[in-house]
Amino acid sequence: MKLRKFKYYEPQGLEEALSLLDRFGHVAAILAGGTDLVPLMKQKTVQAKHLINIKHLTELDFIRGDSMLEIGALTTIRGIEKSDFLQKKCPLLRDTAGRIGYVQIRNVGTIGGNICNASPAADFAPALMVLDATVEIASVDGKKSASINSFFLNPGETILDKNEMITRFWIPRTDEGTRCIFRKVPSGNSSGLAIASVAVLSSVDKVSGVVREARIAVGSMAPTPIRCFKTEKLLVGEKISDEILNIASQKIVEETKPISDIRGSREYRIHLIKVMTKDALMDIYWRNLS
Amino acid sequence: MKKRIEVTVNSEKYELAIETHKLLLEFLRDDLGLTGTKESCGMGECGACTVLLDGKAVNSCLILAVDADRKVITTIEGLAKEQNLDPLQESFIKMGAIQCGFCTSGMIMSAKALLNENPNPDISEIKKALAGNICRCTGYKKIIKAVRMVADSQKTR
Ligand SMILES: Cc1cc2nc3c(=O)[nH]c(=O)nc-3n(C[C@H](O)[C@H](O)[C@H](O)COP(=O)(O)OP(=O)(O)OC[C@H]3O[C@@H](n4cnc5c(N)ncnc54)[C@H](O)[C@@H]3O)c2cc1C
Ligand code: FES
Ligand code: FES
């Protein structure tokens, strides 16, 4: 399967990339790892007249920071999966990375591409959402930032303008005693995309068993990845019990809008998200209290 | 539109101008005649087109040939040393880990990347490393055993 011809640009630095985007953004596609874009171009779902290959912007490939973690948009999924630094600082991202696609995909696919592709099934999205990550957006006009929780608009659609790109993610440090979990049921077909996924960040008071903090985000359960603020609110301040977990997993169904598609039916997704959310919460509380 | 690249494929250096929309897979098969690398799905899902790019397993059907500029590519043709097959190739033959053979180059390249990184992988690590390679014939058991066998034989050496 071949690609159609396009005009090709290979900016050597961020500034050059941004000025190219400013000139051609309306007719161009950005190529990072290409694991989402190339299949779409082969299927002619995306027909780009210009291709801006940003692989040479090595300044956007980094994992660093202390109280505020920073991850460059061009960091590969494999780089995150293998990062010893993240194992200590943010195991949730490392665990999530290990659940994406296959080695071949993780070796080239990037975290920026995963988010900018804006698939409802993008696995980094629920994780970044519960971490309250901030997205750094750059254009010739300068840099600005936005919360990941307001970044997605529709399938394949984000708040980015045609002349903008993502340069990094900021991730605030989570409080001591907070635990995070990512759960995913992948499709049995060869893409391995989530039928449903959930990321949970929570902490509980060890003595009273009362939930101090709860953040929940889900993938493949709505037109975009979403934070489930109502379910979170319902949990905080409650003492852990089977009953409250059942109420929470019911609430999460009310907050989502799953559809039936090739990967799974609406009913199956509802079943999965209830079970996975309850299971993830129990896992966190069990480990916290024991 | 063309771009000049410099690439090393199976220890041979090439310097040439290449169409920017050409995929690495097409460059290897059509321009260099290295037809051991196979195309099946063309969508990154089956692993038949797996090659090593600077030692890492990648799907050559998703990568632009120009992205191989100043990089080192290894294909299935680059594994044998003179008359000697790579231990993985020997092991696949011995174990009968091949039926139609269409997935085999990709399987072996993924296994090669794994063994380079981790010479003594356990079964679950082998499964994880080969998860992006689909075989429609063998049922995987012999493939996994073949990889394990190489790890075992190199341990005793
Ligand atoms: C077989 C297969 C299995 C997969 N499995 C999974 C899976 O399990 N989970 C999952 O979440 N995904 C999966 N994917 C999808 C994909 O691999 C990931 O989403 C990957 O992270 C995309 O990153 P990329 O760098 O390859 O993106 P690209 O394809 O390069 O880009 C994707 C989109 O984002 C835009 N873009 C990229 N970088 C930027 C930037 N910095 N600023 C602005 N726009 C940008 C591009 O223009 C394009 O529209 C799979 C894909 C394949 C082919
Ligand atoms: S042909 Fe490249 S992954 Fe199937
Ligand atoms: S041997 Fe036929 S596909 Fe694997």
Side-chain angles (χ1 to χ4, degrees), chain B residues 25-36:
Chain B
L25 175 73
E26 296 172 77
F27 169 64
L28 294 171
R29 287 181 58 90
D30 304 345
D31 296 0
L32 302 189
L34 297 171
T35 52

Side-chain angles (χ1 to χ4, degrees), chain B residues 25 38-49 59-62:
Chain B
L25 175 73
K38 304 299 180 198
E39 175 167 29
S40 181
C41 69
M43 292 289 173
E45 295 182 355
C46 75
C49 65
N59 293 320
S60 61
C61 72
L62 295 187

Side-chain angles (χ1 to χ4, degrees), chain A residues 1-2 42 55 104 107 190, chain B residues 26 39 42 45 57 61 67:
Chain A
M1 224 179 291
K2 290 175 187 292
K42 285 186 173 184
K55 279 211 190 72
Q104 293 98 316
N107 274 335
S190 44
Chain B
E26 296 172 77
E39 175 167 29
E45 295 182 355
C61 72
D67 270 331

Side-chain angles (χ1 to χ4, degrees), chain A residues 7 12 14 28 47 70 79 100 114 124 136 173 179 231 252 258 260 264 266:
Chain A
K7 273 204 107 165
Q12 299 300 315
L14 182 60
Q47 303 196 5
E70 293 174 52
I100 296 180
N114 189 254
F124 275 126
E136 183 184 70
R173 190 163 61 187
R179 287 186 193 272
T231 309
I252 208 162
S260 295
R266 182 176 176 276

